[in-house]
């Protein structure tokens, strides 16, 4: 419960991959005190949520899914060609 407008400063190193939500509404994460992060909050009650969404995780997930798909297709083609050779 905040009695007046202000900032919530988090003693955590600022990184651009953090997202902040104030009462389920996305808000900007600001860099303060050279390395910390903060969000601006208005007067009243708040439910604050920080979510870390690293870009590298999404890139790695996409690459992993592509490689998995290639392995599955390669395995299918390999077994299919062996099966066709045995059938003739």
């Amino acid at each position: 419960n905040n009695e007046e407008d202000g900032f919530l400063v988090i003693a955590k190193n600022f990184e651009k991959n953090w997202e902040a939500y104030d009462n389920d509404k996305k808000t900007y994460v600001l860099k303060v005190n050279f390395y910390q992060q903060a969000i601006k909050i208005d007067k009243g009650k708040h439910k604050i949520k920080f979510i870390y969404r690293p870009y590298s995780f999404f890139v790695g997930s996409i690459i992993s899914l592509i490689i998995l798909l290639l392995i599955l297709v390669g395995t299918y083609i390999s077994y299919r060609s062996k099966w066709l050779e045995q059938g003739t």
Side-chain angles (χ1 to χ4, degrees):
N1 194 7
N2 203 30
E3 294 180 6
E4 54 187 59
D5 294 350
F7 291 90
L8 171 66
V9 178
I10 306 295
K12 188 169 207 56
N13 289 344
F14 175 83
E15 285 190 44
K16 64 181 179 179
N17 297 316
W18 282 98
E19 293 179 359
Y21 294 87
D22 181 5
N23 295 329
D24 297 323
K25 182 180 172 191
K26 190 171 182 179
T27 186
Y28 292 103
V29 179
L30 307 168
K31 184 176 182 178
V32 296
N33 300 330
F34 299 105
Y35 70 95
Q36 295 175 327
Q37 53 189 349
I39 60 169
K40 185 174 183 335
I41 54 175
D42 299 326
K43 181 178 177 180
K45 287 191 173 189
H46 298 273
K47 178 183 172 190
I48 308 294
K49 180 169 45 171
F50 281 88
I51 299 174
Y52 186 65
R53 297 185 193 267
Y55 177 73
S56 59
F57 175 78
F58 294 111
V59 171
S61 296
I62 291 170
I63 292 171
S64 296
L65 288 173
I66 290 170
I67 290 173
L68 178 61
L69 181 63
L70 291 173
I71 290 171
L72 292 173
V73 169
T75 303
Y76 172 75
I77 291 171
S78 175
Y79 278 108
R80 185 172 181 256
S81 64
K82 287 180 183 179
W83 179 73
L84 289 175
E85 286 176 3
Q86 290 176 356
T88 57

